[in-house]
Amino acid sequence: MKRLEAIAAIHGRLQDCIVVTIMGAVAAELQSLGHRPNFFYLQHAMGLASSVGLGIALSKPAARVVVLDGDGSVLMNLGGLTTLARYRPRNLTHVVFDNESLLSVGGFPTATATGSDIAGMAAAAGIPRTATVRTLDDFTAAFDAALAADDLTTLVAKVEAVGPAGFVTDLGLLENRFQFARHLRGLPETP
Amino acid sequence: MPVSVDASRIIYDALKACGVSVVSALPETWLVHLIRMAEDDPDMTLVRLAKEEEGVGIATGAHLAGARSVMLMQNHGFLQSINGIVSCAQLYRIPLVMLISHRGWFGERDPWQTEGGLVTIPVLDALRIPYETLDARDHVAHRIAKAMTLAHSTNRPVALLLGRDLMWEDG
């Protein structure tokens, strides 16, 4: 499974969600499929996308929040899994695209290449729903199930270590940030 | 434990008066009462962190969603959070308000706190983060309100250093 195919398969579902991505390939690929004002790309600060998602999920309980994370980023903030589990925002779906490498900086292997299991660590941290999927059909089914379950889910999608040629897009970081904040603040407070 | 309950209450009430509804925190001795006050307040969302840098992300998410938040941490937690402050809060112009206990400074008895105490202000200066120290009860509310105002007008991080003279009752 390629990450771009996986994002494309859920792109329609993301229209109704608040989406936070990590930097690099994930951000560039989601933008290539179509940017929306409800998408925020954290273009640095590796590890913190899930924390930003938690801050939004706790502040906007009526919103459905999706974080598109990666193995390298999760490994930089493993403690964040315990914080997610502790507050268990039922409106947060945490997708981790695991290509077992730091693709954008030379493709060096991460620890998931040698057996570290992110879904296993998420489960052990106390996240109530976790899964690892390897095919596009399994990914879309698991993603839909996570949205329908209305509970905190970490869904690890094993993907090929391929990405776009470049990561810089014409969407300015602050343009994205202020557009996203304006969108979020316009959402209703209660379901 | 001679951490001042009264000073902690003045700080907490000032945060409430500024509309703070989210507190992310990692405990340290000087912060115990403040964290308990947040815990006991049904209108406050307290996020207990595993490591302080997470709090930068949580404050960012809360701000983007329209909530006012602060981080409570020791200066060593501030030092731990530097990349998040630079690559998230500064890069994305987030009004991150940090209440930082200034350990390892004048009067410190714990040798292990002293290196962090020496570098806290130079690091704040290097990051161009404006700060004031809270070290007497009569200026706490005013300085917290001003810090909140500056953070939101600049859309940048602002720090308040919690000093020993305010937080610790036996000097």
Side-chain angles (χ1 to χ4, degrees):
Chain A
M1 166 169 48
K2 289 187 173 67
R3 182 186 44 238
L4 180 62
E5 297 168 344
I7 299 172
I10 62 170
H11 190 257
R13 277 87 147 178
L14 298 180
Q15 311 305 309
D16 299 323
C17 301
I18 299 303
V19 181
V20 178
T21 80
I22 57 167
M23 65 190 297
V26 176
E29 288 179 347
L30 180 57
Q31 287 182 51
S32 76
L33 293 163
H35 171 64
R36 304 267 302 178
N38 48 312
F39 296 172
F40 176 64
Y41 315 94
L42 184 63
Q43 294 284 15
H44 212 319
M46 279 182 73
L48 292 190
S50 59
S51 303
V52 173
L54 175 60
I56 295 170
L58 293 174
S59 303
K60 286 283 186 185
R64 169 61 53 188
V65 180
V66 175
V67 174
L68 301 181
D69 215 331
D71 50 308
S73 289
V74 169
L75 290 168
M76 288 194 193
N77 187 11
L78 285 176
L81 294 174
T82 67
T83 308
L84 284 179
R86 191 173 208 171
Y87 295 96
R88 193 177 175 170
R90 292 174 179 273
N91 56 333
L92 181 61
T93 302
H94 181 214
V95 175
V96 182
F97 292 115
D98 181 2
N99 60 13
E100 303 184 354
S101 74
L102 293 162
L103 181 66
S104 65
V105 289
F108 295 100
T110 65
T112 63
T114 44
S116 295
D117 172 4
I118 289 174
M121 289 188 283
I127 290 178
R129 300 183 80 258
T130 62
T132 299
V133 294
R134 297 170 189 280
T135 69
L136 198 55
D137 286 347
D138 286 350
F139 173 68
T140 51
F143 183 79
D144 285 346
L147 293 189
D150 195 31
D151 203 353
L152 175 63
T153 302
T154 293
L155 173 59
V156 178
K158 289 285 190 178
V159 294
E160 295 174 35
V162 293
F167 303 119
V168 177
T169 70
D170 66 357
L171 179 66
L173 274 61
L174 293 179
E175 179 186 8
N176 175 221
R177 169 251 189 272
F178 284 105
Q179 180 188 57
F180 179 74
R182 199 167 289 117
H183 175 84
L184 262 185
R185 291 169 190 205
L187 295 177
E189 293 296 323
T190 51
Chain B
M1 183 188 298
V3 181
S4 173
V5 178
D6 292 344
S8 301
R9 173 54 65 188
I10 292 167
I11 295 167
Y12 192 77
D13 288 348
L15 295 174
K16 292 283 286 185
C18 292
V20 171
S21 63
V22 178
V23 169
S24 56
L26 202 135
E28 86 109 6
T29 308
W30 290 11
L31 301 175
V32 289
H33 300 307
L34 273 168
I35 292 171
R36 292 217 173 99
M37 288 167 194
E39 189 176 51
D40 292 343
D41 181 350
D43 296 325
M44 186 64 76
T45 298
L46 171 66
V47 182
R48 297 175 181 276
L49 308 168
K51 209 167 184 182
E52 289 86 349
E53 190 185 14
E54 291 174 63
V56 179
I58 288 160
T60 298
H63 171 70
L64 295 173
R68 286 202 165 198
S69 76
V70 295
M71 281 181 76
L72 297 180
M73 59 192 165
Q74 201 196 78
N75 44 352
H76 295 82
F78 161 69
L79 296 172
Q80 193 281 320
S81 306
I82 299 296
N83 183 54
I85 292 167
V86 173
S87 313
C88 184
Q90 292 185 330
L91 187 64
Y92 282 98
R93 302 295 296 266
I94 302 300
L96 175 70
V97 177
M98 299 177 284
L99 273 69
I100 301 167
S101 55
H102 196 190
R103 302 298 308 270
W105 202 235
F106 286 44
E108 179 66 61
R109 296 188 181 95
D110 296 344
W112 47 87
Q113 305 286 9
T114 54
E115 284 299 311
L118 286 174
V119 301
T120 300
I121 288 172
V123 171
L124 285 165
D125 285 336
L127 296 173
R128 298 192 307 144
I129 295 174
Y131 66 90
E132 283 195 296
T133 297
L134 304 183
D135 52 14
R137 295 180 187 188
D138 59 358
H139 63 220
V140 165
H142 187 52
R143 288 189 181 175
I144 286 176
K146 286 196 301 177
M148 198 69 67
T149 300
L150 182 65
H152 284 85
S153 63
T154 57
N155 274 318
R156 284 186 175 280
V158 170
L160 290 163
L161 295 173
L162 306 180
R164 176 174 299 272
D165 289 345
L166 177 69
M167 302 306 292
W168 198 253
E169 287 192 325
D170 71 355

